[in-house]
Amino acid sequence: MRMTEAASTSPIVTHAGEDEASSPLTASLDNRILPKVVTLVAVIVPMAATIFAVVELWERQVFPVDLALLGIFYLLTGLGITVGFHRYATHRSFKTNRAVEFVLLALGSMAVEGQVLQWVATHWKHHRLADKPGDPHSPLEGLLHAHVGWMFDGANVGVPEHDAKHLMGDPVARFVSRTWIVWVGVGFAIPFLVDGWRGLLWGGLVRVFLAHHVTWSVNSVCHQFGRRSFETPDQSRNQWVVGVLGLGEGWHNNHHAFPESALHGLRWYEIDVSGYAIRAMARVGLVGEVRRPSAARITRRRYRYALNALSEGTNRRKAAVTSASETAGAPPSTSPVGAGPS
């Protein structure tokens, strides 16, 4: 999940007598530096605006319309990311028509997390290489790297032509990707038209700041902290705070166990606002063929994980007993752990 990697579209101008061989080098430098500058601005400006907004809140210079714009646009653009970019465009967890697809992807673009083709490619690559070399945002390289640092590195981001092939023939996704900056502008313009500069602050910049850090927490926090319900070849975890704030995205171990599932909250108490939205859209006919693993499949995976965890725990206890016996100079006991004298 990363900001778009903007590239310079301005031609490199060479003057008479200048060594033209330097032009490719200059272009290469521009293409490496400019995306990092754009990303830095997209990270710093919402953060600075949020600090200012907190001061305003402390001084009681905030009105109900400001908070309403924050909540409404956080929810709408958040669902654009979670339902549109993630569960639909990346994993095809349900089917829908082009009008609904356009609305979802346009709302996701307003979240300022990049072009949908690039977003999907990077996320798909994360699933292929989760917590392994080549993972775009693995916390194995550090929590800060997984949260935000990877966007300034850019070495392992996905390539749409390779990692998002299923979208290359999708005219809606390609159009929204090409016009990404337009939807970003719309996402700021509407709050401004409703409430002027205060609307832009709360419904625009503060909303972007909060949405960014919740999204990035899925990459960082949900691969380091929380509980696991299923065995997966990575370190994904379920984290309830991110689950609530991230509209269901924090049930990350569930997602890595069943990436095709439109519902990430697999228990009644795992709050999944995005899943509720998909169910509601299905009831009124806006989406169909909603994918979800069967109850039997979920139970089998949970049972297998519980058995593996029990086995690993027993082995650790045996190893601890053996180590303690060797340290004391006594021969290791061959009795089962927990067995008393006969």
Side-chain angles (χ1 to χ4, degrees):
M1 301 179 178
R2 84 184 289 270
M3 302 287 179
T4 186
E5 292 223 359
S8 174
T9 56
S10 302
I12 304 298
V13 179
T14 57
H15 300 284
E18 181 181 354
D19 182 4
E20 293 192 6
S22 65
S23 296
L25 175 60
T26 304
S28 177
L29 289 173
D30 284 348
N31 289 337
R32 287 202 306 266
I33 294 173
L34 185 57
K36 295 180 181 180
V37 172
V38 171
T39 300
L40 183 64
V41 170
V43 171
I44 294 297
V45 171
M47 180 172 64
T50 301
I51 293 171
F52 175 75
V54 170
V55 173
E56 291 281 281
L57 183 63
W58 181 261
E59 296 178 352
R60 300 182 180 180
Q61 297 298 313
V62 179
F63 302 95
V65 65
D66 304 326
L67 300 181
L69 285 170
L70 170 62
I72 291 169
F73 275 84
Y74 180 89
L75 179 63
L76 290 177
T77 61
L79 290 174
I81 289 292
T82 62
V83 176
F85 278 32
H86 192 196
R87 305 189 196 192
Y88 177 75
T90 304
H91 296 290
R92 292 303 200 216
S93 298
F94 57 88
K95 291 187 177 181
T96 190
N97 57 57
R98 289 185 177 179
V100 173
E101 178 186 5
F102 168 76
V103 171
L104 288 173
L105 299 188
L107 286 172
S109 298
M110 294 179 196
V112 200
E113 293 188 14
Q115 297 163 313
V116 60
L117 292 181
Q118 182 62 62
W119 196 104
V120 169
T122 296
H123 185 69
W124 195 253
K125 186 175 183 181
H126 164 66
H127 272 274
R128 282 197 301 109
L129 301 170
D131 297 326
K132 297 180 180 69
D135 182 350
H137 39 65
S138 173
L140 298 180
E141 298 183 42
L143 199 63
L144 183 61
H145 170 84
H147 192 74
V148 68
W150 68 277
M151 293 187 293
F152 296 93
D153 179 359
N156 294 318
V157 296
V159 177
E161 291 77 11
H162 179 262
D163 298 296
K165 290 180 179 179
H166 64 288
L167 287 183
M168 300 313 294
D170 185 328
V172 175
R174 291 178 67 86
F175 171 76
V176 174
S177 247
R178 286 197 307 270
T179 56
W180 171 78
I181 195 65
V182 173
W183 311 114
V184 170
V186 170
F188 288 122
I190 295 175
F192 177 77
L193 292 173
V194 172
D195 193 30
W197 293 108
R198 306 192 66 81
L200 178 62
L201 174 66
W202 288 95
L205 295 171
V206 175
R207 175 260 303 175
V208 166
F209 172 81
L210 295 176
H212 278 179
H213 286 276
V214 170
T215 297
W216 301 338
S217 292
V218 177
N219 302 336
S220 56
V221 173
C222 292
H223 277 259
Q224 289 284 291
F225 307 102
R227 296 184 176 183
R228 289 168 62 81
S229 298
F230 303 100
E231 189 66 37
T232 58
D234 50 61
Q235 299 302 313
S236 59
R237 283 164 165 74
N238 293 329
Q239 215 293 325
W240 73 269
V241 175
V242 183
V244 173
L245 297 179
L247 309 181
E249 297 294 280
W251 310 115
H252 203 49
N253 179 241
N254 294 353
H255 172 54
H256 273 254
F258 306 103
E260 78 285 354
S261 178
L263 310 178
H264 291 186
L266 300 179
R267 297 183 187 271
W268 68 266
Y269 55 80
E270 292 176 344
I271 298 172
D272 181 6
V273 174
S274 301
Y276 306 153
I278 293 171
R279 281 177 166 175
M281 289 191 293
R283 287 194 185 100
V284 297
L286 293 177
V287 305
E289 298 184 38
V290 177
R291 301 170 70 187
R292 187 180 190 276
S294 67
R297 185 180 170 206
I298 293 171
T299 300
R300 283 197 303 270
R301 291 287 300 269
R302 283 201 177 111
Y303 182 68
R304 187 186 313 154
Y305 175 71
L307 285 179
N308 289 340
L310 180 63
S311 175
E312 290 176 4
T314 300
N315 291 337
R316 283 196 297 268
R317 286 193 295 271
K318 286 181 178 180
V321 170
T322 300
S323 176
S325 299
E326 291 175 347
T327 301
S333 172
T334 57
S335 302
V337 176
S342 59

